Amino acid sequence: DAGVIQSPRHEVTEMGQEVTLRCKPISGHDYLFWYRQTMMRGLELLIYFNNNVPIDDSGMPEDRFSAKMPNASFSTLKIQPSEPRDSAVYFCASSRERDYGYTFGSGTRLTVV
Amino acid sequence: QKEVEQNSGPLSVPEGAIASLNCTYSDRGSQSFFWYRQYSGKSPELIMSIYSNGDKEDGRFTAQLNKASQYVSLLIRDSQPSDSATYLCAGQYSSASKIIFGSGTRLSIRP
């Protein structure tokens, strides 16, 4: 199993640009989660999906953030327009069942200048 | 606001000793608890899960859960320098699938 695959690993963009982060969950995992990690705020849940349906997006910081899961093997997190305060490591994670722990991807380190 | 609290450390432990990491949580409805290890620059890795009161052992790791006190702990026996990392405690609500993470405890094992 290749694990949770995220791309790109690093992204540097200018303020105001659109950023798209990608995630491929582990096959057979019904839950997919997007987290953001910073030194100040730790790991924050942004949104999660169950069977491709968004269940809880209360952690999405503002309308500039959006997430989609068009099928069971692919999800995107989009930031438009990006701002310097969005700089963080963004993790995607997936889980087989509700009470299982998650498997995290390697993360995308986003820097907005 | 449901929260998971950890001491940020750093916690310094001599090699070969027992490292004890602690965590408290605010939601009595939480059912499942997890410990993740995160090396610097890497993603969190699940090392232990615990669902009922008592102890759960896996190799050098023992997770302890006390729901009455809303307390979770992780013991690492025979600590090794490779155990130096940040340890994240996490709790899962009974009513939802999402896991809430603590801020993590940085553990340093000194040779």
Side-chain angles (χ1 to χ4, degrees), chain A:
Chain A
D1 195 334
V4 178
I5 301 173
Q6 290 188 247
S7 64
R9 290 295 306 275
H10 302 274
E11 177 80 37
V12 180
T13 191
E14 291 185 347
M15 182 173 63
Q17 295 299 305
E18 177 180 295
V19 176
T20 299
L21 311 181
R22 297 172 176 79
C23 175
K24 176 179 169 57
I26 293 173
S27 178
H29 281 198
D30 293 333
Y31 291 87
L32 183 139
F33 306 83
W34 283 101
Y35 280 85
R36 176 172 69 175
Q37 187 174 40
T38 61
M39 288 292 292
M40 291 296 295
R41 300 175 67 89
L43 261 175
E44 301 175 277
L45 178 65
L46 301 177
I47 185 171
Y48 79 91
F49 296 83
N50 178 213
N51 291 323
N52 313 336
V53 176
I55 303 300
D56 185 344
D57 65 355
S58 60
M60 296 286 261
E62 27 190 297
D63 291 345
R64 299 184 296 106
F65 286 69
S66 62
K68 294 181 179 179
M69 191 166 186
N71 57 62
S73 59
F74 184 66
S75 177
T76 60
L77 178 67
K78 186 175 294 186
I79 307 172
Q80 166 63 20
S82 57
E83 297 182 4
R85 60 193 168 122
D86 301 330
S87 296
V89 179
Y90 290 80
F91 288 107
C92 176
S94 69
S95 176
R96 186 168 68 233
E97 294 180 19
R98 206 193 82 161
D99 293 327
Y100 272 58
Y102 306 162
T103 301
F104 281 81
S106 299
T108 295
R109 181 174 296 276
L110 173 65
T111 303
V112 183
V113 298

